[in-house]
Amino acid sequence: MANANLADQFSAYAAWRKVLVDSICDYRSWLNEQALNDAQADQRITNLLERLREDKLNVAFVAEFPRGKSELINAIFFAGYGQRLLPSSAGRTTMCPTELLYNPAKPSSLQLLPIETRASDATTTEYKRYSDEWTVVEFDVDSNESMVAAFNQVSKTKTVTVEEAEKLDLFHPNNSDDAMSLNKDGSIDIPCWRYAVINFPHPLLEQGLVILDTPGLNAIGTEPELTLNMLPNAHAVLFVLAADTGVTKSEIDVWRQYISGTRWKQKGRMAVLNKIDGLWDELKSEAEIEKEIVKQVKKTGELLDLDASHIFPTSAMKALQAKVNGEDALLERSRLPLLEKALYEELIPSKKEIVRDNTKSEIEDLINNSKLILDSRASGVVEQLDELSGLRGKNEDVVEHMMSKVKVDKENFEKGLQRFQALRSVFSQQTNRLFTSLGMEALKNKVHSTRETMITAKFTKTIRDAMDDFFEKLKRRLTSSDEQVNEIKKMMDVMYDKFSKEHGLRKTQPPSFPTLRYQKELAKLERAYKEQFNTAFNMIANEKMTLTTKFFETLASRVVHVFEVANRDVENWLKAVIAPMESQVREHQIQLRRRLESIKRIYKATDTLEDRILELENIEKSIRAQIEDLEVLRQHMGNALAFEESVDEKAA
Ligand SMILES: Nc1nc2c(ncn2[C@@H]2O[C@H](COP(=O)(O)OP(=O)(O)OP(=O)(O)O)[C@@H](O)[C@H]2O)c(=O)[nH]1
Ligand SMILES: [Mg+2]
């Protein structure tokens, strides 16, 4: 496993997704060929493919400055360029959160959000929708020089007056640290940019990796977007410490509050003890150095309350140097390969698991729907065959009798159809009610009124009450959606039962739809708000409200996101509930018409009975073949889901 590197693991993961996408595309073309595809199923497949194709993996680097975050990113991901791509130097270097990703729809460029946008309450995520707000610096991917020059933008600062910095919420007169950062003439240096997105076709980024480099710790507090959105949602967070400084109090606080805390307890959180080359004392033996490293790891583990297996002593600088110059012994000594191995072992399998589970249930559902249609076609044909075989050697009277029987069936079914139409209208009323509880309109109104209350609030109690009410109302909306969902499900259960008894339609269980997931997400955000509010409480009392309003905007945009996802999921669920019944009813109607038609033709002697029977037998055969095809496709997709290409095999 020693040679296996991150790039191999990533390409194995990308290969897995590709195999999966291909097998789903095969299924879709088969559906089209066999005329089994309908608009709804096609939409679901499109969504599934889109999700698989743009599936991202987020890795965030967090640390006090200058622990070596940027150097570590250079060493892990960009050593192949033969030089330092991201600026890394003593003192504060990275001045704004920097996202590295690849979006082929955009040119290779650096997009920069001006720091002045902090004066508004809009979050960086919202700004991402408005490309004209960003300054774009294009670069040439074939020229390292051009890339390095562009990337240097992330460390640009400018000098402003204290008033300006205060307006941007970057200076608080009562904060002693802030006071220390003033220049001699009373001015202050602030970052030029609030956020940077680097878009370029690096092989790992092309495969969906998104890297987040952050500036020193105090930036974490100033952009709630980081603490509420980017860090909790990152698939891995590397918290970088330095062996020469030990763990400071503010580092422990940040680790507890934003990274490890019970709040976002999840996999993929690890600490890196960087700069171990500082311990490589020529006068000490290897064993002594090793002992010192072990001691530091142990101490760090105690302070962070983190298992030693999640702490990685490393030298980013030596690793970069070793990779660039091809010095294997130095690379091993830097211990970076161990960190890389842990990173992909934490990262990729858990991500794969989530993607696999989601894709699996969606595929199963689609296949089962196709199967349902084919089964009902097959049984319809068999029924007709029985009917016609029964006519062999019978006289005209019997045929007439038969025809009237099918007519009665058809009339009965038409009545059932009316009932189905009535059901559809009740269904859409219930759906409307569901969307009123879950709807975006109502949510946006609530966000608006809470914002108004917060802006005009004179007391922290008013803010607290407004926020409590905000969460309370939203929780109630979710619970009442849950009730509506249950009602819809109950109604559909009854209908499926009725149709199966009265018209012999296949009985299926409509899937259930628990809203628990969204309730949990909401609870998570509420806890985050409470923690933040309690810490910020004193600050709010003597300082401005900007922190709270900015915090609220981010929180609100996260809540909006949760509701957006819930809305999308519920829409899909509603389709999944009604679609099988719709397609079965449609099929049944066609079959009844066919039965009537064929008996009519025999009655009028336009067809001979035997011709008709032969024709039906051929139809049955082709349906059976389709069912077999479907099983093969099910198998293929199952194999694709289980597909494992181990890195060892690849290396071999
Ligand atoms: N000796 C030693 N120095 C290192 C190592 N990694 C980084 N450095 C140095 O530490 C300094 C800071 O590195 P950066 O990568 O800029 O650190 P950062 O965490 O990104 O800092 P900010 O961007 O300011 O938040 C630079 O001078 C690096 O050369 C290491 O493993 N060993
Ligand atoms: Mg940096």
Side-chain angles (χ1 to χ4, degrees), residues 65 68-71 88-90 93-94 274-275 277 315-317:
F65 77 97
K69 294 173 292 279
S70 305
E71 187 77 340
S88 154
S89 62
T93 310
T94 313
N274 192 27
K275 307 195 184 182
D277 54 295
S315 169
M317 196 199 217

Side-chain angles (χ1 to χ4, degrees), residues 33-309:
E33 271 163 32
Q34 309 291 328
L36 281 167
N37 212 354
D38 61 45
Q40 254 167 27
D42 206 60
Q43 187 57 47
R44 283 174 77 181
I45 295 178
T46 305
N47 292 347
L48 187 63
L49 288 173
E50 251 166 38
R51 248 182 301 156
L52 272 173
R53 283 200 184 111
E54 56 174 56
D55 185 27
K56 298 278 183 215
L57 262 167
N58 298 290
V59 180
F61 289 74
V62 179
E64 187 54 281
F65 77 97
R67 302 293 188 252
K69 294 173 292 279
S70 305
E71 187 77 340
L72 196 56
I73 296 175
N74 283 327
I76 298 180
F77 302 104
F78 305 126
Y81 288 88
Q83 74 181 92
R84 204 166 263 132
L85 272 198
L86 289 177
S88 154
S89 62
R92 274 172 206 255
T93 310
T94 313
M95 297 302 290
C96 61
T98 305
E99 215 174 297
L100 295 110
L101 49 78
Y102 183 56
N103 174 359
K106 287 191 173 167
S108 299
S109 64
L110 179 63
Q111 290 161 269
L112 300 151
L113 185 64
I115 194 78
E116 287 70 26
T117 56
R118 282 181 59 88
S120 87
D121 283 326
T123 64
T124 46
T125 308
E126 283 168 90
Y127 273 110
K128 280 185 186 165
R129 287 192 215 127
Y130 305 100
S131 56
D132 54 330
E133 300 278 350
W134 298 68
T135 302
V136 179
V137 179
E138 291 196 16
F139 52 81
D140 173 9
V141 284
D142 296 320
S143 149
N144 282 8
E145 234 168 71
S146 146
M147 282 204 276
V148 170
F151 295 0
N152 261 325
Q153 282 290 338
V154 303
S155 44
K156 286 268 177 303
T157 58
K158 60 178 162 193
T159 310
V160 297
T161 63
V162 166
E163 291 72 37
E164 278 173 89
E166 236 184 302
K167 207 163 69 203
L168 300 176
D169 197 28
L170 291 169
F171 179 82
H172 303 110
N174 297 335
N175 185 320
S176 56
D177 283 350
D178 284 3
M180 297 241 298
S181 58
L182 288 180
N183 296 327
K184 276 206 193 89
D185 62 359
S187 62
I188 185 167
D189 292 336
I190 61 166
C192 283
W193 312 110
R194 178 179 176 188
Y195 201 87
V197 179
I198 301 180
N199 186 41
F200 81 118
H202 176 280
L204 291 177
L205 304 182
E206 277 175 337
Q207 286 165 21
L209 178 73
V210 178
I211 301 169
L212 180 68
D213 189 9
T214 59
L217 292 186
N218 64 350
I220 289 194
T222 52
E223 275 297 343
E225 188 88 31
L226 286 177
T227 51
L228 284 170
N229 181 8
M230 317 214 71
L231 296 184
N233 292 325
H235 301 98
V237 176
L238 268 65
F239 190 61
V240 188
L241 303 156
D244 56 358
T245 39
V247 188
T248 65
K249 168 137 187 344
S250 61
E251 284 175 325
I252 298 178
D253 289 346
V254 166
W255 169 260
R256 287 207 187 128
Q257 199 180 350
Y258 301 122
I259 304 173
S260 84
T262 47
R263 205 203 306 169
W264 319 110
K265 194 130 204 143
Q266 44 179 262
K267 284 170 103 179
R269 295 320 182 236
M270 35 187 144
V272 178
L273 194 59
N274 192 27
K275 307 195 184 182
I276 54 163
D277 54 295
L279 306 171
W280 297 350
D281 184 338
E282 306 257 313
L283 299 178
K284 283 186 184 156
S285 70
E286 273 305 310
E288 280 172 311
I289 294 172
E290 175 64 28
K291 215 168 128 194
E292 177 60 27
I293 292 177
V294 170
K295 199 176 100 192
Q296 287 223 21
V297 167
K298 185 161 172 276
K299 179 99 185 129
T300 308
E302 281 163 11
L303 288 170
L304 299 183
D305 192 18
L306 180 69
D307 194 81
S309 64

